[in-house]
Amino acid sequence: MKYPLGKEPNKTKEKIINYSNRGMDLESDINITNEYYRSIDKAFIYKKPTPIQVVKVDYSKNKKITEAYFKESSTTDYNGIYKGKYIDFEAKVTNTLSFPLRNIKNHQIEHLIKVKEHDGISFIIVRFEKTSENYLLETSKLEEVLKEKLKTIKLEYFKENGYLIPIKYKERTDYLEIIDNLYGDIL
Amino acid sequence: MKYPLGKEPNKTKEKIINYSNRGMDLESDINITNEYYRSIDKAFIYKKPTPIQVVKVDYSKNKKITEAYFKESSTTDYNGIYKGKYIDFEAKVTNTLSFPLRNIKNHQIEHLIKVKEHDGISFIIVRFEKTSENYLLETSKLEEVLKEKLKTIKLEYFKENGYLIPIKYKERTDYLEIIDNLYGDIL
């Protein structure tokens, strides 16, 4: 069969990004929580935009970007201010009962350690999809695992060394409650 | 004249983004300064990536983004940690002897004020191209201008109420020297 433009239609592997139905994911929960913190003037913590290398822009079409590539983040995804303190964290999801450390880039771990050393508050949040639980693990506890040269962190380690983040109606993952309990005396 | 593919070559308004020869601009100077601060373990301050709404990705071509649009930033361009304190600022260039306030978005000014109120350190850096000077102006001084409902801030105001940022070989715009002088007692 011949097509009018000389090629088969719709054979491209281009995909339209679907932004709907993301209400249940961790990123969305954290963003909603951060919006709530801002709305009650509690903390100003944002997700950093995904870094993208722009190659071509069509200025005739409303500054449409026509060629670009995802880049690797230089730091973690979330940072901001809470009671004068610098807050910095990375959030990840695992669908097994352990968290593979390869999910966090080395330079991200180094960044979390730097923040801790410079008197900021840094941690990771890991969602275990199987148990529908979110845990906060401080960078110091993450470093202990790294010293053991383990490749994964088991859920038990999070239960023993991390903190289960309460799920609330408005603060869908209220990690600042954990931070208050941990650092209340210096905040 | 006829072209092989039936259309004139190179008539598109697509532009290839040129990343070279940017060494002289303010963003580049601040990035180099921040890299230097990191290299000497002094501060961890980064430029946030430009927010881009990705619409189409071609997964057959190395995850090439084929349709995307620039979005408005929700916050300021730079933030990070210095001696445990949260640092947040916006950097702008003006080619006249005054700085038009419309160059900073309202929500960015609101963000700077929020950071200040929450005990962080926030400010703007403005480069006056005509005099080749960079000034740091604290958010409190920016608020005073806003109360006057002025539309521009004159260079004289920066000279009197802001701080000329020293240019050094490695710290090409050493704004933390100003921060040390201003907040040395709490850092």
PDB file of all heavy atoms in Angstrom, chain B residues 13-47:
ATOM      1  N   LYS B  13      12.970  28.652  11.125  1.00  0.00           N
ATOM      2  CA  LYS B  13      13.390  29.627  12.137  1.00  0.00           C
ATOM      3  C   LYS B  13      13.989  28.944  13.362  1.00  0.00           C
ATOM      4  O   LYS B  13      14.214  29.575  14.383  1.00  0.00           O
ATOM      5  CB  LYS B  13      12.207  30.505  12.534  1.00  0.00           C
ATOM      6  CG  LYS B  13      11.957  31.608  11.510  1.00  0.00           C
ATOM      7  CD  LYS B  13      10.860  32.535  11.979  1.00  0.00           C
ATOM      8  CE  LYS B  13      10.529  33.560  10.908  1.00  0.00           C
ATOM      9  NZ  LYS B  13       9.228  34.184  11.149  1.00  0.00           N
ATOM     10  N   GLU B  14      14.194  27.646  13.245  1.00  0.00           N
ATOM     11  CA  GLU B  14      14.857  26.930  14.337  1.00  0.00           C
ATOM     12  C   GLU B  14      16.247  27.476  14.545  1.00  0.00           C
ATOM     13  O   GLU B  14      16.970  27.730  13.583  1.00  0.00           O
ATOM     14  CB  GLU B  14      14.965  25.443  14.004  1.00  0.00           C
ATOM     15  CG  GLU B  14      13.790  24.633  14.474  1.00  0.00           C
ATOM     16  CD  GLU B  14      14.012  23.149  14.250  1.00  0.00           C
ATOM     17  OE1 GLU B  14      15.062  22.755  13.717  1.00  0.00           O
ATOM     18  OE2 GLU B  14      13.126  22.399  14.626  1.00  0.00           O
ATOM     19  N   LYS B  15      16.591  27.633  15.809  1.00  0.00           N
ATOM     20  CA  LYS B  15      17.948  28.093  16.078  1.00  0.00           C
ATOM     21  C   LYS B  15      18.685  27.063  16.918  1.00  0.00           C
ATOM     22  O   LYS B  15      18.118  26.485  17.828  1.00  0.00           O
ATOM     23  CB  LYS B  15      17.911  29.412  16.853  1.00  0.00           C
ATOM     24  CG  LYS B  15      17.744  30.610  15.950  1.00  0.00           C
ATOM     25  CD  LYS B  15      18.003  31.884  16.731  1.00  0.00           C
ATOM     26  CE  LYS B  15      17.527  33.088  15.929  1.00  0.00           C
ATOM     27  NZ  LYS B  15      17.428  34.268  16.784  1.00  0.00           N
ATOM     28  N   ILE B  16      19.940  26.880  16.587  1.00  0.00           N
ATOM     29  CA  ILE B  16      20.783  26.036  17.424  1.00  0.00           C
ATOM     30  C   ILE B  16      21.286  26.914  18.573  1.00  0.00           C
ATOM     31  O   ILE B  16      21.788  28.006  18.350  1.00  0.00           O
ATOM     32  CB  ILE B  16      21.985  25.493  16.629  1.00  0.00           C
ATOM     33  CG1 ILE B  16      21.534  24.835  15.324  1.00  0.00           C
ATOM     34  CG2 ILE B  16      22.822  24.573  17.498  1.00  0.00           C
ATOM     35  CD1 ILE B  16      21.111  23.412  15.421  1.00  0.00           C
ATOM     36  N   ILE B  17      21.088  26.415  19.796  1.00  0.00           N
ATOM     37  CA  ILE B  17      21.530  27.184  20.953  1.00  0.00           C
ATOM     38  C   ILE B  17      23.059  27.170  21.019  1.00  0.00           C
ATOM     39  O   ILE B  17      23.676  26.111  20.948  1.00  0.00           O
ATOM     40  CB  ILE B  17      20.963  26.584  22.263  1.00  0.00           C
ATOM     41  CG1 ILE B  17      19.443  26.443  22.190  1.00  0.00           C
ATOM     42  CG2 ILE B  17      21.380  27.411  23.469  1.00  0.00           C
ATOM     43  CD1 ILE B  17      18.684  27.730  22.102  1.00  0.00           C
ATOM     44  N   ASN B  18      23.628  28.325  21.157  1.00  0.00           N
ATOM     45  CA  ASN B  18      25.085  28.423  21.210  1.00  0.00           C
ATOM     46  C   ASN B  18      25.548  28.535  22.662  1.00  0.00           C
ATOM     47  O   ASN B  18      25.282  29.517  23.334  1.00  0.00           O
ATOM     48  CB  ASN B  18      25.532  29.649  20.413  1.00  0.00           C
ATOM     49  CG  ASN B  18      27.041  29.796  20.417  1.00  0.00           C
ATOM     50  OD1 ASN B  18      27.747  28.902  20.873  1.00  0.00           O
ATOM     51  ND2 ASN B  18      27.520  30.909  19.903  1.00  0.00           N
ATOM     52  N   TYR B  19      26.236  27.491  23.117  1.00  0.00           N
ATOM     53  CA  TYR B  19      26.666  27.494  24.521  1.00  0.00           C
ATOM     54  C   TYR B  19      28.085  28.035  24.682  1.00  0.00           C
ATOM     55  O   TYR B  19      28.586  28.153  25.783  1.00  0.00           O
ATOM     56  CB  TYR B  19      26.565  26.088  25.122  1.00  0.00           C
ATOM     57  CG  TYR B  19      25.150  25.712  25.431  1.00  0.00           C
ATOM     58  CD1 TYR B  19      24.412  24.912  24.575  1.00  0.00           C
ATOM     59  CD2 TYR B  19      24.527  26.196  26.583  1.00  0.00           C
ATOM     60  CE1 TYR B  19      23.102  24.580  24.850  1.00  0.00           C
ATOM     61  CE2 TYR B  19      23.222  25.874  26.860  1.00  0.00           C
ATOM     62  CZ  TYR B  19      22.518  25.063  25.998  1.00  0.00           C
ATOM     63  OH  TYR B  19      21.224  24.740  26.279  1.00  0.00           O
ATOM     64  N   SER B  20      28.736  28.344  23.557  1.00  0.00           N
ATOM     65  CA  SER B  20      30.108  28.846  23.662  1.00  0.00           C
ATOM     66  C   SER B  20      30.095  30.345  23.939  1.00  0.00           C
ATOM     67  O   SER B  20      29.061  31.001  23.844  1.00  0.00           O
ATOM     68  CB  SER B  20      30.868  28.560  22.376  1.00  0.00           C
ATOM     69  OG  SER B  20      30.277  29.271  21.315  1.00  0.00           O
ATOM     70  N   ASN B  21      31.243  30.872  24.276  1.00  0.00           N
ATOM     71  CA  ASN B  21      31.423  32.314  24.428  1.00  0.00           C
ATOM     72  C   ASN B  21      30.471  32.928  25.452  1.00  0.00           C
ATOM     73  O   ASN B  21      30.041  34.059  25.296  1.00  0.00           O
ATOM     74  CB  ASN B  21      31.237  33.008  23.068  1.00  0.00           C
ATOM     75  CG  ASN B  21      31.890  34.388  23.077  1.00  0.00           C
ATOM     76  OD1 ASN B  21      32.761  34.644  23.899  1.00  0.00           O
ATOM     77  ND2 ASN B  21      31.470  35.256  22.188  1.00  0.00           N
ATOM     78  N   ARG B  22      30.130  32.146  26.458  1.00  0.00           N
ATOM     79  CA  ARG B  22      29.266  32.707  27.475  1.00  0.00           C
ATOM     80  C   ARG B  22      30.059  33.043  28.729  1.00  0.00           C
ATOM     81  O   ARG B  22      29.513  33.382  29.749  1.00  0.00           O
ATOM     82  CB  ARG B  22      28.122  31.744  27.795  1.00  0.00           C
ATOM     83  CG  ARG B  22      27.114  31.689  26.658  1.00  0.00           C
ATOM     84  CD  ARG B  22      26.053  30.670  26.935  1.00  0.00           C
ATOM     85  NE  ARG B  22      25.313  30.955  28.154  1.00  0.00           N
ATOM     86  CZ  ARG B  22      24.421  30.136  28.673  1.00  0.00           C
ATOM     87  NH1 ARG B  22      24.190  28.978  28.110  1.00  0.00           N
ATOM     88  NH2 ARG B  22      23.783  30.458  29.772  1.00  0.00           N
ATOM     89  N   GLY B  23      31.372  32.917  28.600  1.00  0.00           N
ATOM     90  CA  GLY B  23      32.251  33.077  29.753  1.00  0.00           C
ATOM     91  C   GLY B  23      32.136  34.427  30.424  1.00  0.00           C
ATOM     92  O   GLY B  23      32.481  34.581  31.591  1.00  0.00           O
ATOM     93  N   MET B  24      31.659  35.419  29.701  1.00  0.00           N
ATOM     94  CA  MET B  24      31.650  36.757  30.243  1.00  0.00           C
ATOM     95  C   MET B  24      30.323  37.114  30.906  1.00  0.00           C
ATOM     96  O   MET B  24      30.164  38.206  31.407  1.00  0.00           O
ATOM     97  CB  MET B  24      31.934  37.776  29.137  1.00  0.00           C
ATOM     98  CG  MET B  24      33.282  37.590  28.470  1.00  0.00           C
ATOM     99  SD  MET B  24      34.657  37.637  29.647  1.00  0.00           S
ATOM    100  CE  MET B  24      34.753  39.405  29.936  1.00  0.00           C
ATOM    101  N   ASP B  25      29.349  36.232  30.869  1.00  0.00           N
ATOM    102  CA  ASP B  25      28.063  36.667  31.417  1.00  0.00           C
ATOM    103  C   ASP B  25      27.935  36.375  32.911  1.00  0.00           C
ATOM    104  O   ASP B  25      28.724  35.637  33.499  1.00  0.00           O
ATOM    105  CB  ASP B  25      26.882  36.139  30.584  1.00  0.00           C
ATOM    106  CG  ASP B  25      26.660  34.656  30.749  1.00  0.00           C
ATOM    107  OD1 ASP B  25      27.151  34.069  31.733  1.00  0.00           O
ATOM    108  OD2 ASP B  25      25.986  34.078  29.894  1.00  0.00           O
ATOM    109  N   LEU B  26      26.956  37.007  33.508  1.00  0.00           N
ATOM    110  CA  LEU B  26      26.805  36.929  34.958  1.00  0.00           C
ATOM    111  C   LEU B  26      26.530  35.505  35.422  1.00  0.00           C
ATOM    112  O   LEU B  26      27.124  35.028  36.393  1.00  0.00           O
ATOM    113  CB  LEU B  26      25.670  37.871  35.398  1.00  0.00           C
ATOM    114  CG  LEU B  26      25.355  37.885  36.886  1.00  0.00           C
ATOM    115  CD1 LEU B  26      26.557  38.335  37.695  1.00  0.00           C
ATOM    116  CD2 LEU B  26      24.151  38.795  37.160  1.00  0.00           C
ATOM    117  N   GLU B  27      25.634  34.817  34.715  1.00  0.00           N
ATOM    118  CA  GLU B  27      25.309  33.443  35.107  1.00  0.00           C
ATOM    119  C   GLU B  27      26.562  32.582  35.127  1.00  0.00           C
ATOM    120  O   GLU B  27      26.796  31.811  36.068  1.00  0.00           O
ATOM    121  CB  GLU B  27      24.269  32.860  34.142  1.00  0.00           C
ATOM    122  CG  GLU B  27      23.914  31.426  34.492  1.00  0.00           C
ATOM    123  CD  GLU B  27      22.924  30.804  33.517  1.00  0.00           C
ATOM    124  OE1 GLU B  27      22.012  31.513  33.026  1.00  0.00           O
ATOM    125  OE2 GLU B  27      23.054  29.599  33.255  1.00  0.00           O
ATOM    126  N   SER B  28      27.351  32.721  34.085  1.00  0.00           N
ATOM    127  CA  SER B  28      28.583  31.945  34.005  1.00  0.00           C
ATOM    128  C   SER B  28      29.528  32.295  35.154  1.00  0.00           C
ATOM    129  O   SER B  28      30.121  31.411  35.789  1.00  0.00           O
ATOM    130  CB  SER B  28      29.224  32.217  32.648  1.00  0.00           C
ATOM    131  OG  SER B  28      30.485  31.636  32.597  1.00  0.00           O
ATOM    132  N   ASP B  29      29.686  33.593  35.431  1.00  0.00           N
ATOM    133  CA  ASP B  29      30.553  34.023  36.537  1.00  0.00           C
ATOM    134  C   ASP B  29      30.089  33.443  37.869  1.00  0.00           C
ATOM    135  O   ASP B  29      30.905  32.989  38.686  1.00  0.00           O
ATOM    136  CB  ASP B  29      30.549  35.556  36.647  1.00  0.00           C
ATOM    137  CG  ASP B  29      31.536  36.185  35.674  1.00  0.00           C
ATOM    138  OD1 ASP B  29      32.179  35.431  34.911  1.00  0.00           O
ATOM    139  OD2 ASP B  29      31.643  37.419  35.662  1.00  0.00           O
ATOM    140  N   ILE B  30      28.786  33.453  38.100  1.00  0.00           N
ATOM    141  CA  ILE B  30      28.265  32.925  39.368  1.00  0.00           C
ATOM    142  C   ILE B  30      28.463  31.407  39.425  1.00  0.00           C
ATOM    143  O   ILE B  30      28.865  30.863  40.456  1.00  0.00           O
ATOM    144  CB  ILE B  30      26.782  33.315  39.557  1.00  0.00           C
ATOM    145  CG1 ILE B  30      26.666  34.834  39.730  1.00  0.00           C
ATOM    146  CG2 ILE B  30      26.169  32.585  40.758  1.00  0.00           C
ATOM    147  CD1 ILE B  30      25.238  35.355  39.774  1.00  0.00           C
ATOM    148  N   ASN B  31      28.220  30.743  38.311  1.00  0.00           N
ATOM    149  CA  ASN B  31      28.422  29.286  38.295  1.00  0.00           C
ATOM    150  C   ASN B  31      29.883  28.919  38.586  1.00  0.00           C
ATOM    151  O   ASN B  31      30.149  27.992  39.349  1.00  0.00           O
ATOM    152  CB  ASN B  31      27.992  28.699  36.952  1.00  0.00           C
ATOM    153  CG  ASN B  31      26.480  28.673  36.800  1.00  0.00           C
ATOM    154  OD1 ASN B  31      25.734  28.780  37.791  1.00  0.00           O
ATOM    155  ND2 ASN B  31      26.008  28.540  35.575  1.00  0.00           N
ATOM    156  N   ILE B  32      30.794  29.664  37.974  1.00  0.00           N
ATOM    157  CA  ILE B  32      32.228  29.395  38.200  1.00  0.00           C
ATOM    158  C   ILE B  32      32.584  29.662  39.668  1.00  0.00           C
ATOM    159  O   ILE B  32      33.316  28.896  40.299  1.00  0.00           O
ATOM    160  CB  ILE B  32      33.085  30.244  37.235  1.00  0.00           C
ATOM    161  CG1 ILE B  32      32.944  29.687  35.814  1.00  0.00           C
ATOM    162  CG2 ILE B  32      34.550  30.265  37.672  1.00  0.00           C
ATOM    163  CD1 ILE B  32      33.480  30.605  34.732  1.00  0.00           C
ATOM    164  N   THR B  33      32.029  30.746  40.207  1.00  0.00           N
ATOM    165  CA  THR B  33      32.263  31.081  41.619  1.00  0.00           C
ATOM    166  C   THR B  33      31.734  29.959  42.523  1.00  0.00           C
ATOM    167  O   THR B  33      32.421  29.514  43.447  1.00  0.00           O
ATOM    168  CB  THR B  33      31.569  32.411  41.966  1.00  0.00           C
ATOM    169  OG1 THR B  33      32.054  33.429  41.090  1.00  0.00           O
ATOM    170  CG2 THR B  33      31.821  32.810  43.407  1.00  0.00           C
ATOM    171  N   ASN B  34      30.514  29.492  42.232  1.00  0.00           N
ATOM    172  CA  ASN B  34      29.932  28.423  43.045  1.00  0.00           C
ATOM    173  C   ASN B  34      30.747  27.134  42.948  1.00  0.00           C
ATOM    174  O   ASN B  34      30.912  26.429  43.947  1.00  0.00           O
ATOM    175  CB  ASN B  34      28.481  28.179  42.627  1.00  0.00           C
ATOM    176  CG  ASN B  34      27.561  29.287  43.101  1.00  0.00           C
ATOM    177  OD1 ASN B  34      27.898  30.044  44.018  1.00  0.00           O
ATOM    178  ND2 ASN B  34      26.397  29.399  42.476  1.00  0.00           N
ATOM    179  N   GLU B  35      31.236  26.834  41.753  1.00  0.00           N
ATOM    180  CA  GLU B  35      32.106  25.656  41.591  1.00  0.00           C
ATOM    181  C   GLU B  35      33.355  25.796  42.452  1.00  0.00           C
ATOM    182  O   GLU B  35      33.801  24.841  43.069  1.00  0.00           O
ATOM    183  CB  GLU B  35      32.532  25.503  40.121  1.00  0.00           C
ATOM    184  CG  GLU B  35      31.531  24.763  39.279  1.00  0.00           C
ATOM    185  CD  GLU B  35      31.905  24.786  37.788  1.00  0.00           C
ATOM    186  OE1 GLU B  35      33.108  24.699  37.459  1.00  0.00           O
ATOM    187  OE2 GLU B  35      30.973  24.922  36.975  1.00  0.00           O
ATOM    188  N   TYR B  36      33.906  27.013  42.465  1.00  0.00           N
ATOM    189  CA  TYR B  36      35.097  27.240  43.281  1.00  0.00           C
ATOM    190  C   TYR B  36      34.773  27.078  44.768  1.00  0.00           C
ATOM    191  O   TYR B  36      35.502  26.409  45.509  1.00  0.00           O
ATOM    192  CB  TYR B  36      35.704  28.620  42.990  1.00  0.00           C
ATOM    193  CG  TYR B  36      36.944  28.867  43.813  1.00  0.00           C
ATOM    194  CD1 TYR B  36      38.120  28.165  43.555  1.00  0.00           C
ATOM    195  CD2 TYR B  36      36.933  29.765  44.877  1.00  0.00           C
ATOM    196  CE1 TYR B  36      39.249  28.350  44.334  1.00  0.00           C
ATOM    197  CE2 TYR B  36      38.063  29.967  45.659  1.00  0.00           C
ATOM    198  CZ  TYR B  36      39.218  29.254  45.385  1.00  0.00           C
ATOM    199  OH  TYR B  36      40.325  29.436  46.162  1.00  0.00           O
ATOM    200  N   TYR B  37      33.670  27.656  45.207  1.00  0.00           N
ATOM    201  CA  TYR B  37      33.247  27.486  46.613  1.00  0.00           C
ATOM    202  C   TYR B  37      33.131  26.003  46.968  1.00  0.00           C
ATOM    203  O   TYR B  37      33.528  25.573  48.048  1.00  0.00           O
ATOM    204  CB  TYR B  37      31.886  28.152  46.846  1.00  0.00           C
ATOM    205  CG  TYR B  37      31.864  29.669  46.826  1.00  0.00           C
ATOM    206  CD1 TYR B  37      30.689  30.341  46.492  1.00  0.00           C
ATOM    207  CD2 TYR B  37      32.986  30.425  47.163  1.00  0.00           C
ATOM    208  CE1 TYR B  37      30.634  31.734  46.485  1.00  0.00           C
ATOM    209  CE2 TYR B  37      32.935  31.811  47.151  1.00  0.00           C
ATOM    210  CZ  TYR B  37      31.755  32.466  46.817  1.00  0.00           C
ATOM    211  OH  TYR B  37      31.702  33.833  46.814  1.00  0.00           O
ATOM    212  N   ARG B  38      32.572  25.217  46.052  1.00  0.00           N
ATOM    213  CA  ARG B  38      32.440  23.779  46.325  1.00  0.00           C
ATOM    214  C   ARG B  38      33.809  23.123  46.384  1.00  0.00           C
ATOM    215  O   ARG B  38      34.052  22.272  47.234  1.00  0.00           O
ATOM    216  CB  ARG B  38      31.595  23.109  45.229  1.00  0.00           C
ATOM    217  CG  ARG B  38      30.132  23.471  45.275  1.00  0.00           C
ATOM    218  CD  ARG B  38      29.279  22.504  44.468  1.00  0.00           C
ATOM    219  NE  ARG B  38      29.449  22.607  43.034  1.00  0.00           N
ATOM    220  CZ  ARG B  38      28.801  23.472  42.250  1.00  0.00           C
ATOM    221  NH1 ARG B  38      27.948  24.329  42.769  1.00  0.00           N
ATOM    222  NH2 ARG B  38      28.997  23.478  40.954  1.00  0.00           N
ATOM    223  N   SER B  39      34.695  23.524  45.479  1.00  0.00           N
ATOM    224  CA  SER B  39      36.005  22.875  45.393  1.00  0.00           C
ATOM    225  C   SER B  39      36.820  23.103  46.667  1.00  0.00           C
ATOM    226  O   SER B  39      37.672  22.283  47.006  1.00  0.00           O
ATOM    227  CB  SER B  39      36.775  23.376  44.167  1.00  0.00           C
ATOM    228  OG  SER B  39      37.280  24.681  44.399  1.00  0.00           O
ATOM    229  N   ILE B  40      36.585  24.228  47.370  1.00  0.00           N
ATOM    230  CA  ILE B  40      37.318  24.473  48.618  1.00  0.00           C
ATOM    231  C   ILE B  40      36.443  24.156  49.836  1.00  0.00           C
ATOM    232  O   ILE B  40      36.757  24.548  50.949  1.00  0.00           O
ATOM    233  CB  ILE B  40      37.868  25.926  48.694  1.00  0.00           C
ATOM    234  CG1 ILE B  40      36.719  26.953  48.625  1.00  0.00           C
ATOM    235  CG2 ILE B  40      38.896  26.178  47.596  1.00  0.00           C
ATOM    236  CD1 ILE B  40      37.150  28.384  48.962  1.00  0.00           C
ATOM    237  N   ASP B  41      35.312  23.458  49.587  1.00  0.00           N
ATOM    238  CA  ASP B  41      34.437  22.986  50.662  1.00  0.00           C
ATOM    239  C   ASP B  41      33.865  24.153  51.490  1.00  0.00           C
ATOM    240  O   ASP B  41      33.692  24.026  52.700  1.00  0.00           O
ATOM    241  CB  ASP B  41      35.210  22.023  51.577  1.00  0.00           C
ATOM    242  CG  ASP B  41      34.270  21.053  52.287  1.00  0.00           C
ATOM    243  OD1 ASP B  41      33.267  20.634  51.684  1.00  0.00           O
ATOM    244  OD2 ASP B  41      34.528  20.750  53.473  1.00  0.00           O
ATOM    245  N   LYS B  42      33.593  25.271  50.830  1.00  0.00           N
ATOM    246  CA  LYS B  42      33.133  26.469  51.527  1.00  0.00           C
ATOM    247  C   LYS B  42      31.603  26.565  51.550  1.00  0.00           C
ATOM    248  O   LYS B  42      31.017  26.854  52.589  1.00  0.00           O
ATOM    249  CB  LYS B  42      33.694  27.701  50.791  1.00  0.00           C
ATOM    250  CG  LYS B  42      33.384  29.059  51.424  1.00  0.00           C
ATOM    251  CD  LYS B  42      33.948  30.182  50.532  1.00  0.00           C
ATOM    252  CE  LYS B  42      33.611  31.558  51.043  1.00  0.00           C
ATOM    253  NZ  LYS B  42      34.613  32.111  51.961  1.00  0.00           N
ATOM    254  N   ALA B  43      30.973  26.330  50.426  1.00  0.00           N
ATOM    255  CA  ALA B  43      29.515  26.459  50.330  1.00  0.00           C
ATOM    256  C   ALA B  43      29.017  25.565  49.206  1.00  0.00           C
ATOM    257  O   ALA B  43      29.775  25.228  48.287  1.00  0.00           O
ATOM    258  CB  ALA B  43      29.140  27.907  50.036  1.00  0.00           C
ATOM    259  N   PHE B  44      27.743  25.171  49.302  1.00  0.00           N
ATOM    260  CA  PHE B  44      27.157  24.308  48.275  1.00  0.00           C
ATOM    261  C   PHE B  44      25.909  24.982  47.729  1.00  0.00           C
ATOM    262  O   PHE B  44      24.800  24.775  48.198  1.00  0.00           O
ATOM    263  CB  PHE B  44      26.910  22.906  48.846  1.00  0.00           C
ATOM    264  CG  PHE B  44      28.217  22.245  49.139  1.00  0.00           C
ATOM    265  CD1 PHE B  44      28.881  22.502  50.334  1.00  0.00           C
ATOM    266  CD2 PHE B  44      28.845  21.476  48.175  1.00  0.00           C
ATOM    267  CE1 PHE B  44      30.141  21.967  50.575  1.00  0.00           C
ATOM    268  CE2 PHE B  44      30.102  20.937  48.408  1.00  0.00           C
ATOM    269  CZ  PHE B  44      30.745  21.180  49.611  1.00  0.00           C
ATOM    270  N   ILE B  45      26.151  25.818  46.752  1.00  0.00           N
ATOM    271  CA  ILE B  45      25.103  26.644  46.157  1.00  0.00           C
ATOM    272  C   ILE B  45      25.069  26.347  44.661  1.00  0.00           C
ATOM    273  O   ILE B  45      26.112  26.312  44.009  1.00  0.00           O
ATOM    274  CB  ILE B  45      25.382  28.142  46.431  1.00  0.00           C
ATOM    275  CG1 ILE B  45      25.364  28.386  47.951  1.00  0.00           C
ATOM    276  CG2 ILE B  45      24.378  29.030  45.711  1.00  0.00           C
ATOM    277  CD1 ILE B  45      26.016  29.673  48.396  1.00  0.00           C
ATOM    278  N   TYR B  46      23.871  26.077  44.149  1.00  0.00           N
ATOM    279  CA  TYR B  46      23.727  25.682  42.750  1.00  0.00           C
ATOM    280  C   TYR B  46      22.677  26.551  42.057  1.00  0.00           C
ATOM    281  O   TYR B  46      21.740  27.040  42.706  1.00  0.00           O
ATOM    282  CB  TYR B  46      23.243  24.233  42.654  1.00  0.00           C
ATOM    283  CG  TYR B  46      24.272  23.192  43.016  1.00  0.00           C
ATOM    284  CD1 TYR B  46      24.478  22.825  44.349  1.00  0.00           C
ATOM    285  CD2 TYR B  46      25.020  22.549  42.034  1.00  0.00           C
ATOM    286  CE1 TYR B  46      25.416  21.845  44.688  1.00  0.00           C
ATOM    287  CE2 TYR B  46      25.949  21.570  42.365  1.00  0.00           C
ATOM    288  CZ  TYR B  46      26.141  21.226  43.692  1.00  0.00           C
ATOM    289  OH  TYR B  46      27.051  20.258  44.019  1.00  0.00           O
ATOM    290  N   LYS B  47      22.817  26.664  40.755  1.00  0.00           N
ATOM    291  CA  LYS B  47      21.741  27.236  39.946  1.00  0.00           C
ATOM    292  C   LYS B  47      20.714  26.141  39.700  1.00  0.00           C
ATOM    293  O   LYS B  47      21.061  25.014  39.352  1.00  0.00           O
ATOM    294  CB  LYS B  47      22.271  27.731  38.603  1.00  0.00           C
ATOM    295  CG  LYS B  47      21.169  28.370  37.771  1.00  0.00           C
ATOM    296  CD  LYS B  47      21.665  28.940  36.466  1.00  0.00           C
ATOM    297  CE  LYS B  47      20.527  29.692  35.793  1.00  0.00           C
ATOM    298  NZ  LYS B  47      19.384  28.832  35.420  1.00  0.00           N
TER     299      LYS B  47
END
